Amino acid sequence: MDTTAATSPGALRDRMVDRILTSQDLPPWVETALRSVERHRYVPEAPLTDAYDEKAVITHAFPDGTHLSCASGPTIVAAMLTALDVRPGQRILEIGAGTGYNAALLATLVGTGGHVTTIDINADVTAAARRNLDDTGFPHVRVLTRDGADGAAADGPFDRVIVTVGAWDIPQAWWDQLVPDGRLVLPLRWRGTTRAVALTRQDDHWKSDWVFLCGFVPMLGQPGERKSVIHPDGLAALHHDLDQPIDTEALRGVLDREKSTVWSDVTVHGQEPFDRVWLHLSAVDDGTVRIEADQQAVTEGLCTPAIASRSPALVKDGSLAYFTIRRTSAPGRWQLGAIGHGPLGHRLASRIVDQIDAWDHDRTADPEILAFPTGTPIPNQTKGKIITKPENRLVLRY
């Protein structure tokens, strides 16, 4: 066997695309772009195999280690490009230049008759993207250093806008710079979770037709979330949105208060995702937040969320409940439930179990998401949970 050929960039790239195809369908033009654009040349400091693995490659970070920019994992890149539905000759705006790799894919998709503009607020990021694009044959991609929230009106209007940083809100400029039948794909953050969402215009608002689990570096300049420590020794914290009237002081020490555990009859096997339980909670309860537990808290049994670093929770009036799991007697299976603390802990845990049951009825269902720009009234007959942000109000409904 020729091991050199097997580990060549071309072979690794084909292997990457073949792996993506096991979990999602790709349009032929997206598949062709992924097989042709040399991903490893956009992350030259990473080992060759890492460039094509299913992982994000960090390229820039703040001094404290917080991630500033990265090359997203190939699966989410492919999924978002498919959802964007790029056509030859279109004008594309990308918010978040990253390494330039995604812009190169977009330029490949629009062809010689199209135009791609990519923006980033950090000059080091745009300089690297510019260099990578020039070195790989994409000098025609326009790279701008500016706040992505402002868009690039001079290069518009755009047929498509894609956002490759986690957006907590949707700036008006993005709506204004899209053509009437345009399409916006972005990682949208609410209630402690992030989902890639594709939105199209519906008269005076926007409606989703695709939702996909993802994780992205947060967009700078959108401080929409807060972190509140709820344990005296800092072993647990809550992440919540600015529109949520949460009394965090009343929750300090809540994990030491009376405890209630409620188990559902729902089980999953070890590799089965259950992240959509979070979506169900956010679509019905204003108190949905993210809980984060230190490993010491988990080891000592103080706080045992399903995923220690990020699990959904509910809070109300100084009480808390969070999503948890436990092994069953059946090999490889886990039971889903909730643990509550405080006077309302049992009631909140029961609410979580209700949404576990709702998810169990259709485990692949995603909510429909409507976005109404601020100032646009939401019709009285519109059903769903309203989440208020400075520039938009989201409506989540099943």
Side-chain angles (χ1 to χ4, degrees), residues 3 6 44 69 72 77 86-88 120 132 142 153 192 202 214 240 272 286 300 323 332 334 365 374 378-379:
T3 56
S69 182
S72 299
V77 169
V86 177
R87 307 298 174 87
D120 204 282
N132 292 338
R142 185 163 161 82
Q202 308 289 314
C214 67
H240 51 98
E272 186 175 4
D286 291 323
E300 295 177 356
F323 178 61
W334 297 77
T374 297
I378 299 177

PDB file of all heavy atoms in Angstrom, residues 3 6 44 69 72 77 86-88 120 132 142 153 192 202 214 240 272 286 300 323 332 334 365 374 378-379:
ATOM      1  N   THR A   3       1.398   4.427   1.337  1.00  0.00           N
ATOM      2  CA  THR A   3       0.927   5.254   2.457  1.00  0.00           C
ATOM      3  C   THR A   3       1.052   6.733   2.146  1.00  0.00           C
ATOM      4  O   THR A   3       0.284   7.548   2.657  1.00  0.00           O
ATOM      5  CB  THR A   3       1.723   4.921   3.728  1.00  0.00           C
ATOM      6  OG1 THR A   3       3.119   5.092   3.471  1.00  0.00           O
ATOM      7  CG2 THR A   3       1.453   3.501   4.171  1.00  0.00           C
ATOM      8  N   ALA A   6      -2.014   7.680   0.298  1.00  0.00           N
ATOM      9  CA  ALA A   6      -3.183   7.600   1.173  1.00  0.00           C
ATOM     10  C   ALA A   6      -3.288   8.791   2.105  1.00  0.00           C
ATOM     11  O   ALA A   6      -4.377   9.119   2.585  1.00  0.00           O
ATOM     12  CB  ALA A   6      -3.147   6.300   1.976  1.00  0.00           C
ATOM     13  N   PRO A  44      -2.199  26.521   7.777  1.00  0.00           N
ATOM     14  CA  PRO A  44      -0.844  26.004   7.529  1.00  0.00           C
ATOM     15  C   PRO A  44      -0.102  25.583   8.783  1.00  0.00           C
ATOM     16  O   PRO A  44       0.841  24.785   8.699  1.00  0.00           O
ATOM     17  CB  PRO A  44      -0.145  27.177   6.825  1.00  0.00           C
ATOM     18  CG  PRO A  44      -0.923  28.389   7.236  1.00  0.00           C
ATOM     19  CD  PRO A  44      -2.332  27.923   7.361  1.00  0.00           C
ATOM     20  N   SER A  69     -10.913  33.211  16.552  1.00  0.00           N
ATOM     21  CA  SER A  69     -11.237  32.786  15.200  1.00  0.00           C
ATOM     22  C   SER A  69     -10.776  31.345  15.008  1.00  0.00           C
ATOM     23  O   SER A  69      -9.813  30.896  15.641  1.00  0.00           O
ATOM     24  CB  SER A  69     -10.546  33.692  14.171  1.00  0.00           C
ATOM     25  OG  SER A  69     -10.886  33.317  12.855  1.00  0.00           O
ATOM     26  N   SER A  72     -13.993  26.237  11.082  1.00  0.00           N
ATOM     27  CA  SER A  72     -15.050  25.373  11.608  1.00  0.00           C
ATOM     28  C   SER A  72     -14.899  23.949  11.092  1.00  0.00           C
ATOM     29  O   SER A  72     -14.274  23.696  10.053  1.00  0.00           O
ATOM     30  CB  SER A  72     -16.423  25.914  11.212  1.00  0.00           C
ATOM     31  OG  SER A  72     -16.627  27.211  11.735  1.00  0.00           O
ATOM     32  N   VAL A  77     -19.568  23.229   8.086  1.00  0.00           N
ATOM     33  CA  VAL A  77     -19.288  24.039   6.898  1.00  0.00           C
ATOM     34  C   VAL A  77     -20.139  23.550   5.732  1.00  0.00           C
ATOM     35  O   VAL A  77     -20.808  24.341   5.042  1.00  0.00           O
ATOM     36  CB  VAL A  77     -17.790  23.984   6.533  1.00  0.00           C
ATOM     37  CG1 VAL A  77     -17.547  24.595   5.149  1.00  0.00           C
ATOM     38  CG2 VAL A  77     -16.954  24.716   7.579  1.00  0.00           C
ATOM     39  N   VAL A  86     -26.403  28.425  -2.661  1.00  0.00           N
ATOM     40  CA  VAL A  86     -25.700  29.380  -3.520  1.00  0.00           C
ATOM     41  C   VAL A  86     -25.850  28.980  -4.983  1.00  0.00           C
ATOM     42  O   VAL A  86     -25.774  27.796  -5.336  1.00  0.00           O
ATOM     43  CB  VAL A  86     -24.212  29.442  -3.134  1.00  0.00           C
ATOM     44  CG1 VAL A  86     -23.450  30.364  -4.072  1.00  0.00           C
ATOM     45  CG2 VAL A  86     -24.061  29.917  -1.687  1.00  0.00           C
ATOM     46  N   ARG A  87     -26.041  29.985  -5.836  1.00  0.00           N
ATOM     47  CA  ARG A  87     -26.152  29.767  -7.279  1.00  0.00           C
ATOM     48  C   ARG A  87     -25.062  30.546  -8.009  1.00  0.00           C
ATOM     49  O   ARG A  87     -24.611  31.598  -7.523  1.00  0.00           O
ATOM     50  CB  ARG A  87     -27.521  30.219  -7.775  1.00  0.00           C
ATOM     51  CG  ARG A  87     -28.711  29.605  -7.024  1.00  0.00           C
ATOM     52  CD  ARG A  87     -28.747  28.084  -7.183  1.00  0.00           C
ATOM     53  NE  ARG A  87     -29.790  27.479  -6.363  1.00  0.00           N
ATOM     54  CZ  ARG A  87     -31.051  27.331  -6.751  1.00  0.00           C
ATOM     55  NH1 ARG A  87     -31.438  27.774  -7.939  1.00  0.00           N
ATOM     56  NH2 ARG A  87     -31.927  26.742  -5.953  1.00  0.00           N
ATOM     57  N   PRO A  88     -24.635  30.072  -9.188  1.00  0.00           N
ATOM     58  CA  PRO A  88     -23.620  30.796  -9.959  1.00  0.00           C
ATOM     59  C   PRO A  88     -24.060  32.226 -10.253  1.00  0.00           C
ATOM     60  O   PRO A  88     -25.238  32.499 -10.523  1.00  0.00           O
ATOM     61  CB  PRO A  88     -23.515  29.971 -11.244  1.00  0.00           C
ATOM     62  CG  PRO A  88     -23.930  28.589 -10.845  1.00  0.00           C
ATOM     63  CD  PRO A  88     -25.006  28.789  -9.818  1.00  0.00           C
ATOM     64  N   ASP A 120     -14.412  40.826   8.763  1.00  0.00           N
ATOM     65  CA  ASP A 120     -14.084  40.483  10.144  1.00  0.00           C
ATOM     66  C   ASP A 120     -13.647  41.752  10.864  1.00  0.00           C
ATOM     67  O   ASP A 120     -13.040  42.642  10.260  1.00  0.00           O
ATOM     68  CB  ASP A 120     -12.979  39.431  10.215  1.00  0.00           C
ATOM     69  CG  ASP A 120     -13.033  38.647  11.524  1.00  0.00           C
ATOM     70  OD1 ASP A 120     -12.572  39.177  12.558  1.00  0.00           O
ATOM     71  OD2 ASP A 120     -13.559  37.514  11.517  1.00  0.00           O
ATOM     72  N   ASN A 132      -4.136  33.980   2.747  1.00  0.00           N
ATOM     73  CA  ASN A 132      -4.500  32.617   2.340  1.00  0.00           C
ATOM     74  C   ASN A 132      -5.254  32.610   1.016  1.00  0.00           C
ATOM     75  O   ASN A 132      -5.018  31.744   0.160  1.00  0.00           O
ATOM     76  CB  ASN A 132      -5.357  31.965   3.428  1.00  0.00           C
ATOM     77  CG  ASN A 132      -4.586  31.690   4.697  1.00  0.00           C
ATOM     78  OD1 ASN A 132      -3.357  31.593   4.686  1.00  0.00           O
ATOM     79  ND2 ASN A 132      -5.296  31.557   5.814  1.00  0.00           N
ATOM     80  N   ARG A 142     -13.247  39.777  -1.927  1.00  0.00           N
ATOM     81  CA  ARG A 142     -13.025  41.049  -1.224  1.00  0.00           C
ATOM     82  C   ARG A 142     -13.016  40.794   0.279  1.00  0.00           C
ATOM     83  O   ARG A 142     -13.955  40.201   0.825  1.00  0.00           O
ATOM     84  CB  ARG A 142     -14.122  42.028  -1.588  1.00  0.00           C
ATOM     85  CG  ARG A 142     -13.951  43.430  -1.034  1.00  0.00           C
ATOM     86  CD  ARG A 142     -14.869  44.367  -1.819  1.00  0.00           C
ATOM     87  NE  ARG A 142     -15.144  45.619  -1.159  1.00  0.00           N
ATOM     88  CZ  ARG A 142     -14.352  46.678  -1.168  1.00  0.00           C
ATOM     89  NH1 ARG A 142     -13.186  46.611  -1.811  1.00  0.00           N
ATOM     90  NH2 ARG A 142     -14.693  47.790  -0.553  1.00  0.00           N
ATOM     91  N   ALA A 153     -22.690  47.570   2.622  1.00  0.00           N
ATOM     92  CA  ALA A 153     -23.723  48.088   1.727  1.00  0.00           C
ATOM     93  C   ALA A 153     -23.176  48.428   0.347  1.00  0.00           C
ATOM     94  O   ALA A 153     -23.857  48.235  -0.668  1.00  0.00           O
ATOM     95  CB  ALA A 153     -24.389  49.315   2.357  1.00  0.00           C
ATOM     96  N   GLY A 192     -28.924  30.011  25.909  1.00  0.00           N
ATOM     97  CA  GLY A 192     -27.752  29.209  26.212  1.00  0.00           C
ATOM     98  C   GLY A 192     -27.364  28.197  25.167  1.00  0.00           C
ATOM     99  O   GLY A 192     -26.372  27.488  25.335  1.00  0.00           O
ATOM    100  N   GLN A 202     -40.612  36.692   4.679  1.00  0.00           N
ATOM    101  CA  GLN A 202     -42.045  36.445   4.550  1.00  0.00           C
ATOM    102  C   GLN A 202     -42.759  37.779   4.815  1.00  0.00           C
ATOM    103  O   GLN A 202     -43.105  38.089   5.950  1.00  0.00           O
ATOM    104  CB  GLN A 202     -42.508  35.403   5.574  1.00  0.00           C
ATOM    105  CG  GLN A 202     -41.701  34.124   5.583  1.00  0.00           C
ATOM    106  CD  GLN A 202     -41.950  33.282   4.352  1.00  0.00           C
ATOM    107  OE1 GLN A 202     -43.094  33.085   3.958  1.00  0.00           O
ATOM    108  NE2 GLN A 202     -40.875  32.778   3.767  1.00  0.00           N
ATOM    109  N   CYS A 214     -24.989  23.386  16.233  1.00  0.00           N
ATOM    110  CA  CYS A 214     -23.635  23.844  15.920  1.00  0.00           C
ATOM    111  C   CYS A 214     -23.046  24.564  17.116  1.00  0.00           C
ATOM    112  O   CYS A 214     -23.715  24.807  18.121  1.00  0.00           O
ATOM    113  CB  CYS A 214     -23.649  24.790  14.709  1.00  0.00           C
ATOM    114  SG  CYS A 214     -24.486  26.367  15.027  1.00  0.00           S
ATOM    115  N   HIS A 240     -27.314  33.050  30.959  1.00  0.00           N
ATOM    116  CA  HIS A 240     -28.684  33.467  30.658  1.00  0.00           C
ATOM    117  C   HIS A 240     -28.676  34.731  29.816  1.00  0.00           C
ATOM    118  O   HIS A 240     -27.664  35.462  29.754  1.00  0.00           O
ATOM    119  CB  HIS A 240     -29.480  33.687  31.954  1.00  0.00           C
ATOM    120  CG  HIS A 240     -28.805  34.580  32.943  1.00  0.00           C
ATOM    121  ND1 HIS A 240     -29.091  35.918  33.074  1.00  0.00           N
ATOM    122  CD2 HIS A 240     -27.823  34.331  33.851  1.00  0.00           C
ATOM    123  CE1 HIS A 240     -28.336  36.447  34.022  1.00  0.00           C
ATOM    124  NE2 HIS A 240     -27.548  35.502  34.513  1.00  0.00           N
ATOM    125  N   GLU A 272     -26.840   8.370  20.896  1.00  0.00           N
ATOM    126  CA  GLU A 272     -28.026   9.056  20.378  1.00  0.00           C
ATOM    127  C   GLU A 272     -28.111  10.484  20.923  1.00  0.00           C
ATOM    128  O   GLU A 272     -28.070  10.688  22.130  1.00  0.00           O
ATOM    129  CB  GLU A 272     -29.282   8.279  20.757  1.00  0.00           C
ATOM    130  CG  GLU A 272     -30.555   8.824  20.139  1.00  0.00           C
ATOM    131  CD  GLU A 272     -31.759   7.947  20.453  1.00  0.00           C
ATOM    132  OE1 GLU A 272     -31.593   6.960  21.211  1.00  0.00           O
ATOM    133  OE2 GLU A 272     -32.845   8.257  19.943  1.00  0.00           O
ATOM    134  N   ASP A 286     -39.898  30.617  29.706  1.00  0.00           N
ATOM    135  CA  ASP A 286     -39.024  31.788  29.727  1.00  0.00           C
ATOM    136  C   ASP A 286     -37.830  31.617  30.653  1.00  0.00           C
ATOM    137  O   ASP A 286     -36.867  32.383  30.571  1.00  0.00           O
ATOM    138  CB  ASP A 286     -39.820  33.019  30.183  1.00  0.00           C
ATOM    139  CG  ASP A 286     -40.838  33.456  29.142  1.00  0.00           C
ATOM    140  OD1 ASP A 286     -40.526  33.371  27.940  1.00  0.00           O
ATOM    141  OD2 ASP A 286     -41.945  33.872  29.534  1.00  0.00           O
ATOM    142  N   GLU A 300     -18.287  15.156  43.122  1.00  0.00           N
ATOM    143  CA  GLU A 300     -18.821  15.129  44.486  1.00  0.00           C
ATOM    144  C   GLU A 300     -20.334  14.957  44.538  1.00  0.00           C
ATOM    145  O   GLU A 300     -20.913  14.874  45.620  1.00  0.00           O
ATOM    146  CB  GLU A 300     -18.422  16.422  45.203  1.00  0.00           C
ATOM    147  CG  GLU A 300     -16.914  16.558  45.393  1.00  0.00           C
ATOM    148  CD  GLU A 300     -16.527  17.881  46.038  1.00  0.00           C
ATOM    149  OE1 GLU A 300     -17.440  18.711  46.269  1.00  0.00           O
ATOM    150  OE2 GLU A 300     -15.328  18.080  46.308  1.00  0.00           O
ATOM    151  N   PHE A 323     -31.367  19.350  33.490  1.00  0.00           N
ATOM    152  CA  PHE A 323     -31.484  18.101  32.740  1.00  0.00           C
ATOM    153  C   PHE A 323     -30.354  17.155  33.141  1.00  0.00           C
ATOM    154  O   PHE A 323     -29.191  17.565  33.221  1.00  0.00           O
ATOM    155  CB  PHE A 323     -31.411  18.438  31.255  1.00  0.00           C
ATOM    156  CG  PHE A 323     -31.478  17.271  30.315  1.00  0.00           C
ATOM    157  CD1 PHE A 323     -32.585  16.438  30.280  1.00  0.00           C
ATOM    158  CD2 PHE A 323     -30.438  17.022  29.437  1.00  0.00           C
ATOM    159  CE1 PHE A 323     -32.649  15.374  29.395  1.00  0.00           C
ATOM    160  CE2 PHE A 323     -30.489  15.968  28.547  1.00  0.00           C
ATOM    161  CZ  PHE A 323     -31.602  15.134  28.522  1.00  0.00           C
ATOM    162  N   GLY A 332     -25.562   0.038  27.601  1.00  0.00           N
ATOM    163  CA  GLY A 332     -25.474   1.110  26.624  1.00  0.00           C
ATOM    164  C   GLY A 332     -26.656   2.057  26.571  1.00  0.00           C
ATOM    165  O   GLY A 332     -26.720   2.898  25.670  1.00  0.00           O
ATOM    166  N   TRP A 334     -29.318   4.960  28.488  1.00  0.00           N
ATOM    167  CA  TRP A 334     -29.379   5.983  29.512  1.00  0.00           C
ATOM    168  C   TRP A 334     -30.808   6.481  29.669  1.00  0.00           C
ATOM    169  O   TRP A 334     -31.534   6.622  28.682  1.00  0.00           O
ATOM    170  CB  TRP A 334     -28.466   7.159  29.149  1.00  0.00           C
ATOM    171  CG  TRP A 334     -27.015   6.786  29.066  1.00  0.00           C
ATOM    172  CD1 TRP A 334     -26.385   6.118  28.053  1.00  0.00           C
ATOM    173  CD2 TRP A 334     -26.013   7.058  30.037  1.00  0.00           C
ATOM    174  NE1 TRP A 334     -25.049   5.961  28.333  1.00  0.00           N
ATOM    175  CE2 TRP A 334     -24.792   6.536  29.550  1.00  0.00           C
ATOM    176  CE3 TRP A 334     -26.013   7.708  31.264  1.00  0.00           C
ATOM    177  CZ2 TRP A 334     -23.598   6.632  30.244  1.00  0.00           C
ATOM    178  CZ3 TRP A 334     -24.822   7.810  31.963  1.00  0.00           C
ATOM    179  CH2 TRP A 334     -23.630   7.287  31.455  1.00  0.00           C
ATOM    180  N   ALA A 365     -37.743  16.508  15.342  1.00  0.00           N
ATOM    181  CA  ALA A 365     -38.461  17.754  15.041  1.00  0.00           C
ATOM    182  C   ALA A 365     -37.693  18.968  15.548  1.00  0.00           C
ATOM    183  O   ALA A 365     -37.173  18.977  16.662  1.00  0.00           O
ATOM    184  CB  ALA A 365     -39.851  17.717  15.674  1.00  0.00           C
ATOM    185  N   THR A 374     -37.416  44.684  15.287  1.00  0.00           N
ATOM    186  CA  THR A 374     -37.996  45.573  16.287  1.00  0.00           C
ATOM    187  C   THR A 374     -38.769  46.695  15.594  1.00  0.00           C
ATOM    188  O   THR A 374     -38.280  47.295  14.641  1.00  0.00           O
ATOM    189  CB  THR A 374     -36.897  46.168  17.179  1.00  0.00           C
ATOM    190  OG1 THR A 374     -36.267  45.102  17.893  1.00  0.00           O
ATOM    191  CG2 THR A 374     -37.465  47.157  18.175  1.00  0.00           C
ATOM    192  N   ILE A 378     -46.031  41.952  15.966  1.00  0.00           N
ATOM    193  CA  ILE A 378     -46.304  40.526  15.801  1.00  0.00           C
ATOM    194  C   ILE A 378     -47.819  40.346  15.802  1.00  0.00           C
ATOM    195  O   ILE A 378     -48.483  40.741  16.767  1.00  0.00           O
ATOM    196  CB  ILE A 378     -45.668  39.705  16.939  1.00  0.00           C
ATOM    197  CG1 ILE A 378     -44.145  39.886  16.947  1.00  0.00           C
ATOM    198  CG2 ILE A 378     -46.018  38.226  16.801  1.00  0.00           C
ATOM    199  CD1 ILE A 378     -43.442  39.178  18.090  1.00  0.00           C
ATOM    200  N   PRO A 379     -48.414  39.805  14.744  1.00  0.00           N
ATOM    201  CA  PRO A 379     -49.867  39.635  14.699  1.00  0.00           C
ATOM    202  C   PRO A 379     -50.382  38.857  15.910  1.00  0.00           C
ATOM    203  O   PRO A 379     -49.724  37.931  16.389  1.00  0.00           O
ATOM    204  CB  PRO A 379     -50.086  38.854  13.400  1.00  0.00           C
ATOM    205  CG  PRO A 379     -48.899  39.192  12.551  1.00  0.00           C
ATOM    206  CD  PRO A 379     -47.761  39.332  13.517  1.00  0.00           C
TER     207      PRO A 379
END
